[in-house]
Amino acid sequence: MDIFPISLKLKQQLCLIVGGGSIAFRKASLLAKAGAILHVIAPEIDENLKMLVQASHGELVYKPFDEAYLNKPYKLVIAATDQPDVNHHVFVVCEQKNLLVNSVDDIPNCRFMVPALIDRSPLVISIASNGTSPVLSRQLRTQLETLIPHGMGKLAQFSGEWRKAVKEKISNPDERRIFWEDLYASPFKEQVFNDNLIVAKQMMEDALAKWTTPKGEVYLVGAGPGDPELLTLKALRLMQQSDVVIYDRLVSPPILDLCRRDADKIYVGKSRSNHAVPQEGINQLLIQYALEGKRVCRLKGGDPFIFGRGGEEIQELVTANIPFQVVPGITAASGCSAYAGIPLTHRDYAQSVRFLTGHLKEGSPELPWPELIYENQTLVLYMGLVGLETICNRLIEHGQRPDMPVALISKGTTPEQKVIVGNLENIAKKVVQHEVQAPTLTIIGEVVKLREQLQWQ
């Protein structure tokens, strides 16, 4: 994050605009809406801008910029002239005086940027691109305008009027947050939107009267194979409302960033032969935090019920009488194969697909080898990179042809995705040649041939 977004209170505060044209007027309009007192300095000042300044009880100075004018207690300064050298001079002087300064459409001469705004006062949403693409910010604002009801401003105002009462009733800040989240998920919100404030007031009073300390809950959430856009809507919602997030190494950083910012995030590892926290410890963490009344998100790469030990964790929760929800995720086999352009089934090549774990137990894979030797079948191996050579040799020994196509998909669906194609006989050597690293998915079958035609990533 290259910029730190803040909301600045400017009501009855002095703000200076250098420049008197249409650009200066646009910026002045935003400052005026925030209640600022406007001062404008320029040799010529647009008539609309002049009226705006007068309405704010501000000051008009008809002369070129003079740094002596900065001796007044300005909260911020905007340089909006059509002369780059003047704007630069304003920036330099403001920097010397530690004044917040913005030069319109001139990133190097800005200490702050003016974002695109969605105004649902008192709710205000800003969208900023660090000055790199203001048009894109405005387009996003337009899209969000259609998604955010105008009644959100009324809801924010109504909530603010009850904030003190809720705080007095519910002293714990985490519990207060849960109270508001539950309230906003109820019909209460629509009553405020429709100006049924008497009904909304009664609903608020009832909710406060019935409030009890919430019980903890565990969300077993599949995070998918890596691309954050593959998350389900329910997964994102529960990630956003969780107090604690317990995650492993297969959860990509962009997905983790989508969790609630102030949630406690606990890394439990789960890489081969190196578990930061053993499975028994993870089970205990889920129970411990839930018993404390927390909403716990157990965030797993892929799908929690496909080689994710989700079933084991749920068994422990059932035994401990902990309520839980399970949110399926796009498993690595589906996501990685799709991003690699390899369909797992195809009428001409494969009429079935089998998911297998490539983990070796005591150095030897325990797989039903005879059942795997079938021409029109796709095999998908999870966690099979270390034992790949052994697995390929076993398949050949049990009758599979050595030239059966094989694809390795490393870090699938992410920007670092790498796909290596070979066959049973040579794929293990290619792991070394191409320095393939985990997490890696292995696909074995004739469908691998389709990658050359269908790859799109």
Side-chain angles (χ1 to χ4, degrees):
M1 187 167 68
D2 295 328
I3 53 176
F4 182 72
I6 62 172
S7 297
L8 194 61
K9 291 183 177 180
L10 293 177
K11 193 174 183 66
Q12 293 300 300
Q13 300 298 306
L14 293 181
C15 295
L16 174 65
I17 297 176
V18 181
S22 58
I23 295 176
F25 173 72
R26 289 201 299 270
K27 301 304 179 186
S29 298
L30 291 174
L31 295 176
K33 288 186 70 175
I37 299 174
L38 304 176
H39 287 195
V40 173
I41 181 170
E44 297 180 6
I45 300 175
D46 179 87
E47 192 64 28
N48 290 326
L49 178 56
K50 177 182 176 181
M51 290 189 291
L52 199 62
V53 172
Q54 291 171 340
S56 77
H57 304 289
E59 184 175 307
L60 298 164
V61 179
Y62 290 87
K63 70 175 185 177
F65 173 72
D66 185 337
E67 62 185 80
Y69 198 68
L70 291 178
N71 291 329
K72 296 185 179 182
Y74 293 116
K75 293 299 181 183
L76 61 81
V77 177
I78 293 180
T81 77
D82 57 1
Q83 302 173 58
D85 57 333
V86 173
N87 292 344
H88 175 69
H89 179 53
V90 173
F91 173 77
V92 170
V93 175
C94 287
E95 285 281 279
Q96 293 171 350
K97 294 179 176 291
N98 290 320
L99 273 171
L100 284 174
V101 58
N102 170 272
S103 296
V104 179
D105 203 20
D106 185 7
I107 299 174
N109 292 316
C110 288
R111 180 54 57 189
F112 75 94
M113 267 69 72
V114 179
L117 297 174
I118 299 172
D119 189 1
R120 301 285 190 271
S121 294
L123 180 69
V124 178
I125 301 168
S126 62
I127 305 162
S129 64
N130 197 16
T132 59
S133 183
V135 174
L136 178 60
S137 296
R138 288 196 291 272
Q139 285 187 342
L140 287 173
R141 180 192 64 191
T142 300
Q143 293 176 25
L144 290 173
E145 285 275 11
T146 64
L147 298 176
I148 302 171
H150 282 267
M152 281 295 182
K154 291 186 288 186
L155 180 62
Q157 181 67 41
F158 189 92
S159 299
E161 295 169 359
W162 281 86
R163 188 176 180 186
K164 181 180 179 181
V166 173
K167 190 173 183 179
E168 290 174 350
K169 170 74 174 183
I170 309 171
S171 59
N172 185 295
D174 288 333
E175 293 184 14
R176 272 202 309 276
R177 179 176 46 76
I178 293 173
F179 171 84
W180 285 113
E181 288 176 351
D182 290 347
L183 191 68
Y184 293 151
S186 74
F188 161 81
K189 186 165 62 176
E190 290 296 327
Q191 298 299 330
V192 177
F193 285 175
N194 294 323
D195 289 321
N196 297 326
L197 300 185
I198 295 177
V199 177
K201 178 177 179 289
Q202 186 62 54
M203 293 178 71
M204 174 68 79
E205 292 173 346
D206 291 345
L208 277 175
K210 296 176 182 177
W211 176 257
T212 57
T213 300
K215 294 182 178 179
E217 186 175 10
V218 174
Y219 311 134
L220 194 63
V221 175
D227 185 344
E229 292 192 351
L230 295 181
L231 282 169
T232 65
L233 293 174
K234 186 171 185 179
L236 183 60
R237 177 172 60 82
L238 295 182
M239 288 161 58
Q240 284 284 325
Q241 71 181 38
S242 297
D243 306 298
V244 180
V245 179
I246 298 175
Y247 68 100
D248 56 46
R249 74 183 184 95
L250 294 180
V251 177
S252 65
I255 288 177
L256 194 62
D257 286 343
L258 294 174
C259 295
R260 213 181 88 218
R261 185 181 304 167
D262 59 342
D264 292 330
K265 299 177 180 66
I266 302 172
Y267 174 68
V268 292
K270 304 286 286 182
S271 61
R272 178 181 173 83
S273 302
N274 181 22
H275 293 191
V277 179
Q279 186 61 51
E280 294 76 12
I282 296 173
N283 297 343
Q284 191 55 45
L285 283 173
L286 298 177
I287 295 170
Q288 172 191 327
Y289 283 111
L291 289 175
E292 292 176 4
K294 306 284 189 181
R295 294 183 291 186
V296 185
C297 176
R298 174 65 174 110
L299 196 57
K300 293 173 171 285
D303 180 274
F305 278 5
I306 298 182
F307 305 124
R309 295 193 176 181
E312 298 175 35
E313 294 173 355
I314 282 181
Q315 285 179 307
E316 296 293 329
L317 296 174
V318 170
T319 301
N321 199 28
I322 302 293
F324 63 85
Q325 298 183 44
V326 180
V327 183
I330 293 179
T331 186
S334 176
C336 296
S337 63
Y339 274 53
I342 302 173
L344 295 179
T345 62
H346 189 284
R347 285 192 301 172
D348 297 333
Y349 298 100
Q351 286 76 53
S352 65
V353 58
R354 295 187 69 156
F355 296 168
L356 308 162
T357 176
H359 261 325
L360 306 184
K361 185 177 182 180
E362 297 178 357
S364 177
E366 294 184 348
L367 296 174
W369 302 111
E371 299 176 17
L372 307 182
I373 313 306
Y374 180 61
E375 188 74 14
N376 295 333
Q377 175 177 252
T378 302
L379 303 180
V380 181
L381 288 168
Y382 289 71
M383 303 165 287
L385 189 60
V386 172
L388 183 61
E389 185 173 9
T390 301
I391 292 169
C392 291
N393 289 338
R394 291 289 187 275
L395 288 172
I396 294 172
E397 288 171 8
H398 283 78
Q400 188 57 274
R401 52 190 176 86
D403 64 347
M404 175 62 76
V406 179
L408 300 177
I409 308 171
S410 174
K411 300 181 180 179
T413 78
T414 73
E416 295 80 34
Q417 174 175 294
K418 179 190 290 186
V419 181
I420 306 299
V421 175
N423 56 46
L424 286 177
E425 195 169 40
N426 64 23
I427 195 66
K429 295 179 181 177
K430 292 192 175 189
V431 170
V432 178
Q433 293 172 359
H434 295 275
E435 299 180 343
V436 180
Q437 297 179 347
T440 297
L441 190 84
T442 304
I443 300 177
I444 303 172
E446 287 291 315
V447 290
V448 173
K449 292 180 178 178
L450 293 168
R451 168 173 163 75
E452 186 174 347
Q453 178 186 4
L454 302 180
Q455 60 180 302
W456 57 278
Q457 283 289 89

